[in-house]
C-alpha cells in the first residue's frame, strides 16, 4: 500500500484551502505524522541489522480520530539483516490506540517485508502495548507475538533442525523520565525473546539463540525545534559460545572470527519529526 499517496493528496488539499477557512474549520479527523532518522547502527532487539554500520530510516503514520491508524517504516539493511538478498526493510503497520485516563493501549499488527529478497523472509507479528505515568516516569509494557511461519523455521545445523515452522514471543519494558529544567529525557529498555533456536530459510531469525535478553540505557536531547539527538548503550546476553553455530552469519562482514553483531555498542541517532 502506497501510504505516501495519502500524504501528497492531503498536502495538496491543505495548500488549496483559504487561510480563513483553515482558521474556522473544525479539526480534521485524520492526522499525518512522520519522522526521518540517521543512526550509527540499526539495532533490532539488540542485534545489528546493518552489519554494525550506519542506517537511514523513515516512518509515516496516518491516524483517524477513532483511534485506528496505518503506517509504514523503512530502513536500509546489510549483513545479517539482508534477509535473502534484500538491502531494505519496508514494514506495513496497522493498529488501534486509545487512552483511558492516564493509561494508553496500542494494539495491532506489523508485516515486515524485504523488497528484493525472498518472500520466505517476510514476518507477520501482532503486538500490544500499555503505557502510563508513574510519578515523573512514563512506563510502557509490550508483548509481541509472531505465529508459526516459514520465515521462523529452524533451518540451521542444530540437532533436529528440519525446517520446522516456529513462532516467536518478545516481551518488553520501557521507561522514560524527563530531567527537570533540561532538554534531556533519560530512557531505559529491557526485552526478552523466545523463539526458534536456529536460523530461518535465509540465515536470520528473530530469536537466533532460542532465547535471550537485550537492554539499553540512553537519553534523548531535544536539540532544536523538532530535532532530537539520542545516544544509547545497547547490549544482549548472547555469548560467543551460544552463537557459535550461527557463524559466520552472526559476525560483522560474515567472516569467521569477526566481531559479534550482538555485542554491546553505543548508538547515536538524529531524528527529525513532523
Amino acid at each position: 500500500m502506497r501510504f505516501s499517496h495519502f500524504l501528497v493528496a492531503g498536502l495538496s488539499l491543505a495548500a488549496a484551502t483559504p487561510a480563513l477557512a483553515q482558521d474556522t474549520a473544525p479539526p480534521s479527523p485524520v492526522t499525518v505524522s512522520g519522522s526521518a532518522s540517521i543512526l550509527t547502527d540499526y539495532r533490532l532487539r539488540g542485534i545489528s541489522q546493518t552489519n554494525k554500520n550506519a542506517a537511514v530510516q523513515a516512518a509515516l503514520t496516518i491516524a483517524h480520530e477513532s483511534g485506528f491508524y496505518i503506517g509504514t517504516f523503512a530502513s536500509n539493511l546489510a549483513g545479517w539483516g539482508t534477509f535473502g538478498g534484500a538491502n531494505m526493510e519496508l514494514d506495513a503497520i496497522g493498529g488501534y490506540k486509545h487512552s483511558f485516563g492516564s493509561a494508553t493501549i496500542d494494539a495491532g499488527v506489523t508485516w515486515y517485508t524485504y523488497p528484493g529478497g525472498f518472500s520466505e523472509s517476510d514476518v507477520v507479528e501482532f503486538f500490544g502495548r500499555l503505557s502510563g505515568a508513574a510519578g515523573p516516569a512514563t512506563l510502557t509494557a509490550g508483548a509481541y507475538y509472531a505465529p508459526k511461519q516459514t520465515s521462523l523455521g529452524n533451518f540451521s545445523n542444530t540437532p533436529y533442525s528440519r525446517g520446522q515452522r516456529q513462532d516467536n514471543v518478545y516481551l518488553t519494558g520501557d521507561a522514560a523520565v524527563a530531567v527537570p529544567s533540561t532538554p534531556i529525557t533519560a530512557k531505559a529498555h529491557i526485552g526478552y525473546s523466545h523463539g526458534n533456536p536456529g536460523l530461518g530459510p535465509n540465515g536470520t531469525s528473530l530469536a537466533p539463540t532460542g532465547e535471550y535478553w537485550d537492554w539499553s540505557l540512553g537519553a534523548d536531547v531535544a536539540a532544536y525545534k523538532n530535532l532530537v539527538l539520542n545516544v544509547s548503550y545497547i547490549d544482549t546476553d548472547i555469548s560467543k559460545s551460544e552463537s557459535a553455530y550461527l557463524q559466520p552469519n552472526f559476525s560483522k562482514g560474515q567472516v569467521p572470527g569477526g566481531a559479534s553483531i550482538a555485542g554491546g555498542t553505543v548508538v547515536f541517532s538524529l531524528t527529525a519529526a513532523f
Side-chain angles (χ1 to χ4, degrees):
M1 183 177 293
R2 297 185 179 277
F3 302 117
S4 58
H5 290 179
F6 291 98
L7 176 59
V8 172
L11 292 176
S12 300
L13 179 61
T17 304
L20 180 60
Q22 292 180 17
D23 293 337
T24 59
S28 171
V30 175
T31 58
V32 178
S33 60
S35 64
S37 303
I38 301 175
L39 307 88
T40 56
D41 191 0
Y42 172 23
R43 292 277 172 141
L44 177 63
R45 301 174 185 179
I47 297 172
S48 177
Q49 307 294 289
T50 51
N51 216 22
K52 304 183 74 171
N53 292 314
V56 177
Q57 301 178 344
L60 180 69
T61 300
I62 301 173
H64 189 264
E65 61 183 3
S66 63
F68 290 99
Y69 64 88
I70 57 175
T72 186
F73 167 84
S75 177
N76 63 291
L77 301 173
W80 165 267
T82 51
F83 289 84
N87 59 10
M88 179 184 181
E89 175 186 334
L90 181 62
D91 305 338
I93 307 163
Y96 175 79
K97 181 182 288 188
H98 187 74
S99 295
F100 299 89
S102 61
T104 299
I105 60 168
D106 183 7
V109 59
T110 301
W111 176 24
Y112 300 85
T113 71
Y114 306 92
F118 300 123
S119 60
E120 304 89 37
S121 297
D122 291 0
V123 177
V124 174
E125 182 177 66
F126 298 92
F127 64 83
R129 293 185 285 259
L130 174 64
S131 61
T138 298
L139 304 179
T140 302
Y144 303 75
Y145 178 69
K148 290 183 178 181
Q149 48 199 292
T150 302
S151 56
L152 304 180
N154 188 346
F155 289 82
S156 71
N157 58 355
T158 56
Y160 313 111
S161 59
R162 300 182 301 274
Q164 307 96 315
R165 289 159 59 93
Q166 305 275 337
D167 59 4
N168 192 87
V169 174
Y170 183 58
L171 305 176
T172 63
D174 293 85
V177 180
V179 180
S181 303
T182 74
I184 300 173
T185 299
K187 308 180 81 172
H189 161 85
I190 188 167
Y192 170 74
S193 295
H194 186 278
N196 61 307
L199 296 175
N202 297 306
T204 57
S205 172
L206 286 181
T209 57
E211 61 177 330
Y212 74 97
W213 292 86
D214 71 274
W215 61 87
S216 67
L217 292 172
D220 283 344
V221 180
Y224 177 75
K225 293 185 177 180
N226 63 336
L227 291 178
V228 175
L229 173 68
N230 175 271
V231 56
S232 296
Y233 177 80
I234 303 174
D235 202 358
T236 74
D237 69 344
I238 298 177
S239 66
K240 288 185 177 180
S241 60
E242 288 176 320
S243 62
Y245 72 95
L246 301 171
Q247 302 303 335
N249 298 58
F250 215 61
S251 61
K252 183 177 181 180
Q254 290 67 61
V255 296
S260 171
I261 57 172
T265 189
V266 175
V267 174
F268 294 89
S269 68
L270 182 64
T271 300
F274 67 87

